Amino acid sequence: MRLTLTFDYDSARRTGLMSGSYFDQIRNIFSVENDAAKFARHYGRFIPRRKYMITPTGRFDPCLFYEIRKYIKSNNIDVKLHQTEAFLDMVRPSYNTNHIPDLSLPLRDYQRSVVSNCLQLGRGVTVLATAGGKTLTIASLIESIYHTDNKVKVLIIVPDLMLVNQTYDDFRSYGVHFSYSKWTGNNKLDLSSHTIIANMGILQSSKTDISWIEHVDTLIIDEVHKLRKGNKINKVIQSVRTHNRFGFTGTMPENPEDQWNIIGKIGPIIYEKNSHQLREQNYIANAEALILKLEYTNAPRHFFRSPTDPGERYRKESEFLRSNKFRNNVLSTVVSNFQNNGLLLVDYIEHGELLTTHFKNNCKDKEIFFIQGDVPVDQRDEIKKLIEKKKNIICIAISKIFSTGISINNLHYIVFAGGGKAKIKILQSIGRGLRKHVDKKKVVIVDIADQLYYGKKHMNKRMSIYKEEHLNYGTKTIKEKTKEKAG
């Protein structure tokens, strides 16, 4: 008997339904180990060993179908797939147009291909490396839809307030013909506009009425990699009825569960172009990394022993580095030698405050700014404008705020001062400097690689990412002098 899989759509619950003789095998394939199960005895309750993307009754995020079909084809499995008409209409809701109108800024060939794919397929994820022009592509997509339906209602979801303002300003510079508005805690909802740009925070607030989003015609999520499995924003997405959904990101998550979540809810990956391809084709600035290996003579001895409590050891190592005089003097020297604007990324407010004071005392020819959560959005925008106009500005920023989406063309140096190994954060951070500028030939990444237990592990991960991205890098070792002491 031939193996079968049947796919149907439950419009009331907005989920796919799967059944058939190959169901159990597929359900197991699309699952991951549940790390929490390791601590089941500690919690004193049952915790499943695996987390499944498909329920025992066959419910799943509909566009996971594309990944299921890909798996079956790539493994040459003889399975008959049957999709109902309702299911096909949901996973392939194409637009009735291929016309892409011109905006004030012309599309590059690959951007035009992205828009064309979106119009033909009706939904899906575009993976376009940072600095590849996602916002212009999004604007052209909406413009194309608007020329077909001048009553269209589009919701664009972006991660934060800075990106709401940046997207709004970019649309104005492109000369789009559809109306658009901002919806944030500071901007009232304008349902009369064709496109509403909203940040995730306003949509997730318990005080916000979001019943209207159920009826939008097109949903677009910028930086869609933030749509992680289990995040609150998933419930917001689930409440949207339209099948026309698009996600844009520079990098997909490494975790399969998060990848499946994005594809299942938004659609298949319909276009990919990485940073290396954009650099080779001269669309973005070139980049290279300098890894500074810092060797410490005054590190506490327990840093070099096997960890008994990894969490505690990581915290102690991090605390030691943030206040280390030798390390901060190296950072000060590095910044002093910059010939133009630099962005220095840190993970902790106290570290940023300490470096701000240190740089102001030791880098007299530089303007120093520190951007953290308490800095108002309009003030952050003013700092961005200053960087675009002037030279020798050093912007220290919390990585969570400035590593994603923010566009700064006149940026020549990026310093990883907080370490870390998360691929998305690293690539998104590098992307801050890849936009071209008349005075810029390349962006230089200065990677502070602490030669301690976690520092080495994270350095090796970052080096592997540089290799994957075909990013040239060199190393230099700097040893702490014995007379220097932490503090």
Side-chain angles (χ1 to χ4, degrees), residues 97-112:
T97 181
N98 284 318
H99 176 58
I100 305 174
D102 293 325
L103 298 177
S104 61
L105 191 62
L107 288 177
R108 297 166 177 171
D109 289 344
Y110 67 84
Q111 292 169 327
R112 188 170 292 276

Side-chain angles (χ1 to χ4, degrees), residues 70-84:
K70 184 193 300 183
Y71 172 80
I72 289 171
K73 286 185 176 181
S74 62
N75 288 276
N76 295 314
I77 301 169
D78 187 18
V79 177
K80 181 180 180 180
L81 303 181
H82 173 69
Q83 305 99 49
T84 65

Side-chain angles (χ1 to χ4, degrees), residues 65-75 263 269:
F65 162 77
Y66 288 102
E67 293 298 294
I68 295 170
R69 187 177 65 179
K70 184 193 300 183
Y71 172 80
I72 289 171
K73 286 185 176 181
S74 62
N75 288 276
I263 292 170
I269 295 175

Side-chain angles (χ1 to χ4, degrees), residues 95 119 137-158 167 171 178-183 189-198 203 212-222 240 242 244-248:
Y95 293 94
L119 294 173
T137 306
I138 290 169
S140 295
L141 172 59
I142 300 172
E143 186 80 3
S144 302
I145 299 169
Y146 170 73
H147 274 251
T148 301
D149 177 10
N150 61 13
K151 295 182 180 180
V152 68
K153 292 291 183 182
V154 180
L155 170 63
I156 303 178
I157 301 177
V158 300
T167 303
F171 280 8
F178 57 84
S179 61
Y180 53 96
S181 62
K182 297 184 283 189
W183 185 41
L189 178 63
D190 179 7
L191 290 175
S192 66
S193 57
H194 296 109
T195 298
I196 296 170
I197 310 163
L203 291 166
W212 62 272
I213 74 170
E214 182 178 353
H215 306 292
V216 299
D217 302 307
T218 297
L219 172 67
I220 297 175
I221 305 177
D222 194 13
V240 178
T242 184
N244 295 120
R245 303 175 176 205
F246 302 98
F248 291 81

Side-chain angles (χ1 to χ4, degrees), residues 35-93:
D35 293 335
K38 299 174 184 177
F39 307 100
R41 291 183 181 178
H42 174 76
Y43 291 119
R45 57 187 173 86
F46 172 74
I47 298 177
R49 295 180 62 182
R50 300 191 69 82
K51 294 189 286 186
Y52 293 87
M53 302 302 295
I54 305 167
T55 71
T57 58
R59 294 188 179 276
F60 65 104
D61 288 330
C63 282
L64 189 63
F65 162 77
Y66 288 102
E67 293 298 294
I68 295 170
R69 187 177 65 179
K70 184 193 300 183
Y71 172 80
I72 289 171
K73 286 185 176 181
S74 62
N75 288 276
N76 295 314
I77 301 169
D78 187 18
V79 177
K80 181 180 180 180
L81 303 181
H82 173 69
Q83 305 99 49
T84 65
E85 287 299 320
F87 187 82
L88 287 174
D89 289 344
M90 186 276 311
V91 297
R92 294 189 306 200

